[in-house]
Amino acid sequence: MSNGTLTQWNRLESRPRKNDFSRTLRAEIRDALWMMTRQWQLGELTAEDTGSPVSAKIFYNSTLLDRLKLGDQDIVELHNDLPLETLVERENIHITTIAGKDFINDISLSTAIRRRLIRYITDAFSTPVKDAILKALRVHPDLQFSVVSDPAGATAFEDVSLIVNSQLHGMHAALASRAFHGGKLYVSLKSGDPLSDYVSNLPPSEKDSLNNLGKQLVAWFDGLFNQTSLDNKAWHPNHLEYQFSTVSPDMSGNAVPLTAEEFTGGRLDWYASDIANDKSEFTQNLRSELNSGENDEVFPAEVAFNGMPHSRWWEMEDGALNFTQVQPNKTDLAKLLFAEFGLLYSNDWYVMPLTLPFGSLTKIERIEIKDTFGQYTITRHYKNHSENENWGLFNLTNAETANKIDSQYLYLPPVAHDLLVSEPVEKVNFIRDEMANMVWGIESLVPDGLGAGGDGNTMAIKIRAYYQNLFPSGENISNNDASITYTLVSEVPENWIPFIPVRIQNGSSQSRQIQLQRAQLPRIVGTLPPMRIEPRTSVLLKEESPYYVFEEEILKSGTIVEMHWQRTRMSDGTNIIWLGRKKTNGRGEGRSTLGYDQLQGNAV
């Protein structure tokens, strides 16, 4: 029997003999001559380094943006009272037309309009007059909510789309004859109709007061949602992008136009714009008083970033960036330069704060730097040196010279500081279908009439099922002994809108280039007469026929266009809300299973 063993561990650790570390932290140098010799050997005595900057004076010329051009619209003054995203993206709330009547087909907006008008009327009139006015509005035939009288036998598409949307149909049924339709009333008042036309037997004085309340209601709604008096011309439907230009005068009074031809929506920043050489249309009526020559004295600060090595000896680093994990290949020049900058030269770079006005174009003339030795150094823009011809930082490129960087301007556009973006209320996914040799605009999200977006595929299935239940397809099939069935064209979901390739017309002849034209598929169900399947999103519905999309805009991975509500707050506290689009890349190709002249064997 073996004896038991006892294992002991002894940890090696430092055991200071004193509690005072002051002398240790001095880092005393015992041999100063040896230190100087090492500095000489390493070349640190060649005086390549200069003193550190302690102050700097920046001389610059700044000018405010003066003009704005949206697409092909006329040039207008830019007052910088709204974010540039709002001016570029905003579009009107979609107006629906049914049975010759225009109205806002959104029950949430309609409810907001109705509640606001009730508040106005309650504050302006006595209780008997208020009750009479609200009753007249509630029972007026032109302000009623749509309710389908025969849900089991409706054939009109507007009625069917309302029936299959059970939640919206239930809201309409609950509000019918109990409340007036605010969306219908707003469109009527917006067109110039007086509010007193919907109420009878009012004295003239009360009619004037009621009409003033109608104008106040329109002003409130237009102020709540920022819209444009014209259709949004900045959105280029053929490119599925925004196009706009801004212009400001330089110190000599010449126009400096900035053009953005491929803005996809969302956050807007300086790099969306390029310098345009064509100044002919921007030379009129530029305001020279927008120019100003300024100089600011600032204090430079060292560049800092996460994981940056500290220049001080006794200072612990945070370890947020591990340079040992940067493992570049022989051709990874960018990684090598990044590591060299971070390890060797990061404390040689300084930043200088410069406060610029909102919506300005600035050109820095020179910087006078004072160092720790009291000497002054004058530096000019690096673009003044020929060796920096093909390098730039925060520079605007030239839109017409193959992206050559030749601008010395610092562009600070008047954009929103922060945005609150809603979930998409509309979404169209453009995909390529190589088997069918066409492009489909899939309406993934369609307006549900309740202020949000509903699933387009689910809505299409419900509409198709309703028509098939109403008109069973089996009634058209003859009973015979045929062993095959011939199908002219296969079915495609109704939320798939086709875009077919067509040749571009070049004068009297056709070129070899093609573009995509929006087309329509028929809805063929039983004995029901064929109907055209119309788009349901404003992204596709607003464009008049023929509507073309350039082929190069639909990538192989697809293209997605969404519609969002966006909200921001200005510096004075004003809330800005608008409706805008955003274009992003898709998720790949798709297949619609569209086929023509198909034969299918029947079971015997």
Side-chain angles (χ1 to χ4, degrees):
M1 181 175 179
S2 61
N3 295 327
T5 60
L6 179 62
T7 303
Q8 293 182 347
W9 300 93
N10 186 20
R11 184 175 63 181
L12 298 178
E13 59 183 5
S14 60
R15 297 177 62 187
R17 294 294 189 269
K18 293 183 178 181
N19 295 328
D20 185 10
F21 292 92
S22 58
R23 183 175 180 181
T24 305
L25 294 177
R26 292 174 190 168
E28 296 176 350
I29 299 176
R30 299 300 181 181
D31 192 347
L33 181 60
W34 178 88
M35 179 66 72
M36 294 183 63
T37 304
R38 293 296 295 166
Q39 288 179 313
W40 170 75
Q41 288 178 337
L42 296 175
E44 294 185 7
L45 302 180
T46 57
E48 291 182 353
D49 293 338
T50 59
S52 301
V54 293
S55 66
K57 182 173 288 187
I58 304 175
F59 295 84
Y60 61 95
N61 298 321
S62 183
T63 178
L64 298 178
L65 299 181
D66 190 15
R67 294 288 189 270
L68 173 67
K69 181 180 181 182
L70 301 177
D72 296 331
Q73 282 184 338
D74 295 334
I75 302 174
V76 297
E77 286 191 6
L78 184 59
H79 300 289
N80 292 337
D81 55 345
L82 289 174
L84 194 54
E85 294 102 330
T86 305
L87 297 174
V88 172
E89 296 178 357
R90 63 180 178 178
E91 55 184 78
N92 296 330
I93 297 174
H94 183 59
I95 302 297
T96 303
T97 303
I98 297 179
K101 297 290 185 180
D102 297 337
F103 61 97
I104 298 176
N105 191 18
D106 190 312
I107 202 167
S108 60
L109 296 179
S110 177
T111 301
I113 295 172
R114 184 179 70 253
R115 288 179 175 178
R116 176 63 61 162
L117 182 59
I118 292 175
R119 182 187 304 178
Y120 288 161
I121 294 175
T122 303
D123 295 339
F125 297 99
S126 60
T127 301
V129 178
K130 176 202 71 173
D131 294 340
I133 294 175
L134 294 181
K135 181 179 179 180
L137 295 175
R138 189 166 54 247
V139 300
H140 198 282
D142 293 339
L143 302 179
Q144 297 299 309
F145 285 87
S146 300
V147 178
V148 182
S149 58
D150 185 14
T155 59
F157 177 76
E158 293 80 7
D159 295 338
V160 174
S161 61
L162 180 60
I163 293 171
V164 299
N165 191 346
S166 57
Q167 188 175 3
L168 179 62
H169 193 210
M171 291 291 293
H172 278 227
L175 294 174
S177 300
R178 296 182 179 90
F180 60 91
H181 198 297
K184 294 182 178 180
L185 181 61
Y186 166 79
V187 174
S188 175
L189 298 177
K190 183 74 173 179
S191 64
D193 296 336
L195 182 56
S196 60
D197 287 354
Y198 295 95
V199 182
S200 58
N201 301 325
L202 279 180
S205 59
E206 293 182 347
K207 280 188 176 182
D208 294 339
S209 300
L210 189 60
N211 292 334
N212 291 333
L213 293 182
K215 296 177 182 178
Q216 187 177 349
L217 178 69
V218 173
W220 166 80
F221 190 82
D222 292 344
L224 180 62
F225 301 106
N226 201 284
Q227 304 181 70
T228 176
S229 57
L230 302 173
D231 290 336
N232 194 328
K233 299 300 182 182
W235 177 259
H236 200 298
N238 307 116
H239 289 283
L240 301 178
E241 294 166 341
Y242 291 103
Q243 296 181 356
F244 66 95
S245 300
T246 57
V247 62
S248 63
D250 60 12
M251 293 301 293
S252 301
N254 300 320
V256 182
L258 304 175
T259 178
E261 297 182 351
E262 297 180 351
F263 176 51
T264 58
R267 294 306 302 267
L268 178 61
D269 214 331
W270 63 270
Y271 45 77
S273 300
D274 300 324
I275 293 287
N277 288 337
D278 186 8
K279 306 177 182 179
S280 57
E281 59 179 337
F282 299 107
T283 57
Q284 302 295 327
N285 302 322
L286 291 178
R287 294 174 289 176
S288 59
E289 64 271 13
L290 300 178
N291 296 310
S292 62
E294 303 288 345
N295 64 84
D296 290 344
E297 186 170 0
V298 298
F299 298 97
E302 288 189 2
V303 170
F305 54 87
N306 292 335
M308 175 179 173
H310 292 300
S311 58
R312 296 180 180 271
W313 189 20
W314 291 108
E315 187 173 358
M316 302 301 294
E317 299 175 0
D318 57 12
L321 183 62
N322 189 357
F323 281 96
T324 62
Q325 296 298 319
V326 180
Q327 300 177 356
N329 296 324
K330 294 181 180 180
T331 57
D332 289 341
L333 182 60
K335 288 184 179 180
L336 291 171
L337 292 175
F338 167 75
E340 184 178 19
F341 164 78
L343 293 172
L344 301 179
Y345 302 107
S346 56
N347 61 341
D348 292 338
W349 289 79
Y350 291 81
V351 293
M352 303 178 188
L354 180 61
T355 302
L356 298 176
F358 184 64
S360 61
L361 195 64
T362 302
K363 184 176 182 180
I364 298 177
E365 297 295 338
R366 69 183 188 276
I367 302 177
E368 295 181 358
I369 303 173
K370 179 183 179 181
D371 59 25
T372 52
F373 299 113
Q375 296 181 346
Y376 288 87
T377 302
I378 298 178
T379 178
R380 298 188 180 276
H381 200 281
Y382 60 85
K383 296 305 297 181
N384 293 326
H385 304 279
S386 58
E387 59 267 22
N388 297 326
E389 179 181 357
N390 296 319
W391 188 88
L393 183 65
F394 299 114
N395 275 117
L396 298 168
T397 58
N398 193 303
E400 301 166 8
T401 56
N403 291 332
K404 179 181 178 182
I405 301 173
D406 59 358
S407 167
Q408 299 184 15
Y409 290 104
L410 184 62
Y411 180 36
L412 183 63
V415 297
H417 173 69
D418 197 9
L419 283 178
L420 294 178
V421 182
S422 71
E423 293 295 326
V425 296
E426 292 184 10
K427 180 178 179 181
V428 179
N429 185 9
F430 294 89
I431 66 168
R432 289 187 175 273
D433 185 358
E434 298 297 342
M435 297 299 296
N437 192 26
M438 60 192 306
V439 168
W440 297 94
I442 304 176
E443 296 183 319
S444 303
L445 288 177
V446 298
D448 62 356
L450 298 169
D455 185 80
N457 185 57
T458 302
M459 194 66 64
I461 292 175
K462 289 182 178 180
I463 292 175
R464 169 67 65 170
Y466 176 89
Y467 279 119
Q468 287 180 343
N469 291 334
L470 193 61
F471 299 93
S473 58
E475 297 179 359
N476 277 346
I477 300 179
S478 302
N479 295 325
N480 51 48
D481 298 332
S483 59
I484 60 174
T485 300
Y486 169 73
T487 303
L488 177 63
V489 59
S490 60
E491 291 185 357
V492 177
E494 293 193 2
N495 62 318
W496 288 48
I497 307 301
F499 283 78
I500 58 176
V502 296
R503 293 187 181 274
I504 298 178
Q505 192 73 22
N506 187 10
S508 59
S509 60
Q510 289 184 339
S511 67
R512 297 174 61 88
Q513 296 179 332
I514 64 172
Q515 55 188 351
L516 304 169
Q517 180 179 358
R518 182 187 59 192
Q520 290 179 323
L521 288 175
R523 181 186 296 112
I524 302 176
V525 180
T527 59
L528 187 69
M531 296 184 294
R532 296 177 181 269
I533 299 178
E534 300 282 352
R536 303 190 65 186
T537 59
S538 60
V539 173
L540 298 180
L541 187 60
K542 282 186 176 181
E543 310 303 334
E544 298 181 356
S545 297
Y547 171 41
Y548 301 98
V549 175
F550 293 123
E551 186 197 18
E552 62 270 16
E553 300 299 337
I554 310 301
L555 308 176
K556 186 178 180 63
S557 60
T559 300
I560 298 176
V561 178
E562 297 177 339
M563 184 86 75
H564 298 265
W565 285 106
Q566 301 180 79
R567 178 181 180 271
T568 189
R569 186 187 293 270
M570 299 294 288
S571 58
D572 59 356
T574 305
N575 288 321
I576 308 296
I577 305 174
W578 72 96
L579 196 61
R581 308 183 185 191
K582 184 178 182 180
K583 171 187 173 183
T584 56
N585 292 337
R587 300 294 183 267
E589 299 181 358
R591 186 180 178 186
S592 62
T593 68
L594 177 65
Y596 297 92
D597 300 324
Q598 295 180 339
L599 295 178
Q600 182 178 2
N602 295 331
V604 179

